[in-house]
Each structure stands twice: as C-alpha cells, then as structure tokens.
Amino acid sequence: MKDVYLFSGFLGSGKTSLLTDTIRQLKERGLKPAVLMNELGKLPFDSKAIEDDIPLKEMLEGCICCTGSEKTEAQLQTLLAGEDFDVLIIETTGAAHPVEALDAVYSPLFAKQLNVKGIVTVVDSKRWLDRHLLSPQMRSLFLEQIRHAHLLLANKMDLLSEDLQAKITFELQSFNSTATLIQTSHGKCPLSMLERLKGTVSEKKVNEARIGEQLTLSTRIISFKESVGKVEFEDWLRTIPSTIYRMKGFVPIKGTKNPMLFQYSYGMVQWLPEYVKMDPVIVIIGEKIADLKIPGSE
C-alpha cells in the first residue's frame, strides 16, 4: 500500500515550495516519491521544479477534482501500474476544494492500494489577515481548505512580527481545532510532521479508512454482500446526514447483470450502466460516518 499526502492551499500559499522540500527529505531517507500535480493553465510552470528522476503526472487546464476526477483516476492508474515509488504526493491547484480533491483520489478501482495519510494545507499567513478582502466565493474556498486540513502550515511567518505570528496561530487553531498546526517559512516542513499523520485501513468486515488520527473528515470503503433494490437504496440516501459529501463506486442492483456505476454528491445522485463486471464496492467521504449502515453491505 502506497502512502499518499494531499497538499492543499490557496493560490500562492507556498505549496510547490513544500513539495520540493518534501521530495528532498524523502530522497535523503532513501524513499522514492511520485507526484501528481494539477495546474489551471495550459503550461506546467510548477512542474518544472520537479527533478527528472521523479515519476510525475500532470493535469492542465482543469481541476483535479469535480469534472477532472476521471482524468485523475487515469493518471493514478498509470502511476500505480507503470512506476516504482514509495510515496505519492498530490499537489492540487489553489482553486481546489479539499473534499473534492480527496474524492478524485478515492476511485473504487484502487482505493485499497492507497493509504491517504492526510490533507496538508499551506496557509499564506498574510492572506489570512487580509481574508476579508477576498470575494465571498474565494474567501469561502480559502476557509474550506483550512477547515478540512489534518495538518496546517502557517506559512510566510518570517514576514510577520511576533505579535502577528501569535495572533494568526491562535486564530487558525481556533478555526480548525482538530488539525496539528506548525509555523513555517518558505514552505519547509519536517518530514516527521507529515509521517505523524496516521491514515490506516482496517481489514474488518466493513473496511474503513480513517484519514489522519481523531479527525472529522474520513472515508469508508464499503463492499456489498448482496444486491439491493434501486428504490430501496435511493430511499436510504434520503435519510443520510448532510455531512456525507461524496459517494461513488459500483452498486449491485437487483435485476441488473453487472453492478451499476453510482455517484452521489451533496444530495445529487447519478446512475450509469456498467458493461464490465466490476467489484461491488463504494467509497464514502464525509464526517461522522463510522456508524453509517449501508443496505446490502452486511
């Protein structure tokens, strides 16, 4: 199983600096990293910072999440099938929502091969102080990236006075009390801090993958034991809490030859026929999902 770190953060926060320094530390430890990088434009500016011996896949002109999730799955499959590496680092665009980026990683095709250690969000400390100047939409995204982090890097601290450093640290810890927070400059974070994020996959009857330790955002990988009625399953979907953000995978429906491709996003449901017999498994992403009972899984 490959350890995966997802680097998040607003535009210009210092994610690429974090990425290059993490790669350096991994190589010094004798570990081989691979990188999946997303950029919004047509040209791969940030990827030029990655050395030639590092397996690298890029997504240009799009987001690693949402509409780009299928492309992301294809890139990840290529990496897993064709490259030898120990650790995967995914650097999202600054415009990516962390939940959606995590959703793109958790394809049912290879979810059990990847151990997501956690979301590391780099925060531009000066931008935090000036967040009121952002448009409402951008401010919301900025705050979401921070709220869902498992490790927060309060970056660019070298540009601020000690009083402002203390103010930002207190405010960020209050805003996301479950994340570990460290002060950084130039995006440099000790590898040991990343390794403390304890993503695990248990081999119970219902496989559960917890992202980080004692954190709200988590995932579950659910294997179906029997087919379910489509109406029954949709009735169940209407009862789930709003803290379930994403579900996708292959659901075995009574009366169909193969499990159907299923996607759920913020209350919206999509079914598509599948012409190849896929493993009946779905991935759930959300908060407080440990006790969720899924029809057909027990």
Side-chain angles (χ1 to χ4, degrees):
M1 184 171 287
K2 311 288 188 183
D3 283 345
V4 181
Y5 297 98
L6 197 151
F7 289 175
S8 175
F10 207 68
L11 301 163
S13 60
K15 293 190 302 298
T16 301
S17 297
L18 170 65
L19 175 63
T20 54
D21 190 61
T22 301
I23 288 173
R24 175 189 63 79
Q25 294 183 74
L26 287 168
K27 293 175 74 173
E28 287 178 355
R29 289 269 296 274
L31 298 172
K32 184 174 183 179
V35 175
L36 178 60
M37 181 178 287
N38 178 216
E39 299 192 58
L40 286 174
K42 294 183 178 181
L43 298 176
F45 292 108
D46 288 346
S47 64
K48 294 178 181 179
I50 307 303
E51 298 174 26
D52 292 338
D53 63 335
I54 303 297
L56 170 68
K57 294 294 179 182
E58 300 165 281
M59 286 191 61
L60 305 178
E61 289 193 278
C63 182
I64 198 171
C65 52
C66 337
T67 56
S69 61
E70 291 184 2
K71 294 180 181 178
T72 305
E73 290 179 11
Q75 298 283 44
L76 283 171
Q77 281 185 291
T78 302
L79 276 174
L80 288 167
E83 300 287 353
D84 178 31
F85 62 93
D86 302 304
V87 178
L88 175 62
I89 302 173
I90 300 174
E91 181 190 333
T92 67
T93 171
H97 190 292
V99 173
E100 293 169 341
L102 190 62
D103 170 65
V105 178
Y106 268 102
S107 165
L109 299 175
F110 47 74
K112 294 180 182 179
Q113 299 179 53
L114 301 175
N115 179 36
V116 179
K117 298 277 284 184
I119 297 172
V120 182
T121 295
V122 186
V123 183
D124 183 330
S125 297
K126 294 189 71 175
R127 190 180 296 277
W128 171 263
L129 293 173
D130 296 331
R131 61 192 181 279
H132 61 284
L133 300 176
L134 295 169
S135 68
Q137 183 180 13
M138 289 296 99
R139 183 167 63 250
S140 175
L141 174 61
F142 179 59
L143 295 178
E144 283 290 282
Q145 291 172 341
I146 296 169
R147 186 171 78 87
H148 287 291
H150 305 132
L151 174 62
L152 280 173
L153 308 186
N155 199 32
K156 304 184 182 181
M157 280 290 180
D158 55 313
L159 304 179
L160 302 173
S161 67
E162 289 187 5
D163 287 346
L164 285 178
Q165 289 178 14
K167 172 182 170 65
I168 290 168
T169 299
F170 174 78
E171 290 179 350
L172 288 175
Q173 286 180 326
S174 299
F175 187 73
N176 182 347
S177 61
T178 62
T180 299
L181 184 146
I182 63 171
Q183 297 180 352
T184 59
S185 298
H186 309 292
K188 292 187 177 181
C189 173
L191 185 59
S192 60
M193 293 300 300
L194 300 178
E195 292 176 330
R196 288 177 189 174
L197 296 172
K198 295 181 180 179
T200 61
V201 177
S202 63
E203 296 300 328
K204 299 179 181 178
K205 183 178 180 181
V206 175
N207 293 317
E208 182 171 340
R210 289 193 179 277
I211 308 303
E213 187 177 50
Q214 298 179 346
L215 299 169
T216 57
L217 185 64
S218 58
T219 69
R220 284 179 65 183
I221 305 170
I222 304 297
S223 295
F224 288 89
K225 307 301 181 185
E226 59 186 18
S227 296
V228 297
K230 190 175 179 182
V231 173
E232 172 196 357
F233 199 79
E234 290 183 345
D235 286 343
W236 169 75
L237 289 173
R238 296 186 185 98
T239 69
I240 63 176
S242 60
T243 52
I244 306 302
Y245 303 129
R246 291 286 193 272
M247 282 187 274
K248 64 180 179 180
F250 303 96
V251 179
I253 296 296
K254 292 178 180 178
T256 61
K257 180 180 179 181
N258 299 318
M260 292 187 70
L261 177 61
F262 162 77
Q263 296 205 49
Y264 171 93
S265 176
Y266 295 102
M268 301 297 291
V269 180
Q270 182 182 38
W271 296 96
L272 290 172
E274 181 58 55
Y275 300 102
V276 178
K277 187 172 179 60
M278 307 299 293
D279 288 338
V281 60
I282 62 172
V283 176
I284 303 174
I285 300 174
E287 300 176 69
K288 303 176 183 177
I289 62 177
D291 297 326
L292 199 64
K293 304 297 183 183
I294 296 86
S297 66
E298 296 180 327

